[in-house]
Amino acid sequence: MDTVQKAMAGFSLDLGPLKEPLGFIRVLEWVFSIFAFATIGGYTGTTHLTVSCPDSDRPVEAFFAYPFRLAMKPYCPLLCNGSCTETYLQGDFSSSAQFFVCVGVFAFLYCTATLVVYLGYRSVYLQTSRGPVIDLLLTAAFAFLWLVSSSAWGKGLTDVKYATDPNHLVLLCGSCKAGEFPSMGRLNASVIFGFLNLILWAGNCWFIYKETPFHKLPAPPSPTQEGGAPGP
């Protein structure tokens, strides 16, 4: 209880940092990190095929969803003779997808924590050099994680598109025709948001760097340097 009271006693809300690049960019990072993991989490898609029979065409639907373990759920093409053989989509792309979501969630949590510090504990943040230095190191680490996770998920999304492409799946079903391609606009957006986050976090490193002791302003020239050597 005493710890909570001490923390609240030091809290002083100041929206001024939101007008500065440091706070404004952090808000953008907070928003875009939500967009990044929200566009991929909970995604479901459907690949459409058609079995051509003499009397009619029979639709076939293959469902898949985040985290893209495609072989988890079978689909069953109903053949012309009435038989049905369970078939599975091939591929497990969960590692890159879950890594991307994990980075997005932790980036969102870090942005939330730092915004509380910027707006409520600004004086404590600037009281020593430790706060800005730690902030700089963690921001640079997140920029690197966004680079790795976005690149990995971009490659994973390419593989998901190939594994769920109806034109590829018809090769496994002799009497099938390719149908509608699954809608992946959300997944494409997630990759874009990932690289936008990379730009934001990498760019924000400069503004945090200016708050650290590593960024030294040049010392003003001495009177001797300005006016030459003093007279006798």
Side-chain angles (χ1 to χ4, degrees), residues 179-195:
E180 183 181 352
F181 192 85
S183 175
M184 294 191 178
R186 282 179 55 185
L187 301 184
N188 293 330
S190 68
V191 177
I192 295 174
F193 284 128
F195 284 105

Side-chain angles (χ1 to χ4, degrees), residues 55-222:
D55 54 345
S56 64
D57 291 339
R58 302 180 180 183
V60 179
E61 295 181 339
F63 298 95
F64 61 98
Y66 173 83
F68 307 105
R69 295 187 181 96
L70 301 184
M72 291 290 292
K73 189 173 183 179
Y75 65 98
C76 189
L78 186 61
L79 303 180
C80 299
N81 58 9
S83 63
C84 178
T85 303
E86 285 192 349
T87 308
Y88 294 84
L89 297 174
Q90 301 299 315
D92 183 352
F93 312 101
S94 58
S95 58
S96 59
Q98 290 177 322
F99 178 48
F100 182 84
V101 170
C102 181
V103 171
V105 171
F106 277 103
F108 162 75
L109 295 176
Y110 182 70
C111 287
T112 303
T114 51
L115 283 173
V116 171
V117 173
Y118 291 170
L119 303 181
Y121 300 94
R122 181 69 172 174
S123 59
V124 178
Y125 175 79
L126 298 175
Q127 189 172 4
T128 64
S129 61
R130 182 180 303 175
V133 169
I134 294 176
D135 192 13
L136 175 62
L137 294 176
L138 290 176
T139 300
F142 270 108
F144 176 74
L145 288 174
W146 278 118
L147 171 63
V148 175
S149 63
S150 300
S151 300
W153 170 231
K155 175 61 169 61
L157 178 57
T158 301
D159 294 337
V160 169
K161 289 180 178 180
Y162 177 76
T164 59
D165 188 345
N167 296 307
H168 167 67
L169 296 177
V170 294
L171 301 177
L172 307 176
C173 176
S175 58
C176 295
K177 294 188 300 183
E180 183 181 352
F181 192 85
S183 175
M184 294 191 178
R186 282 179 55 185
L187 301 184
N188 293 330
S190 68
V191 177
I192 295 174
F193 284 128
F195 284 105
L196 286 176
N197 273 291
L198 165 63
I199 296 172
L200 286 173
W201 287 79
N204 202 21
C205 287
W206 166 247
F207 297 102
I208 301 175
Y209 172 74
K210 293 171 67 175
E211 303 288 343
T212 67
F214 306 127
H215 181 259
K216 299 293 185 180
L217 294 177
S222 63

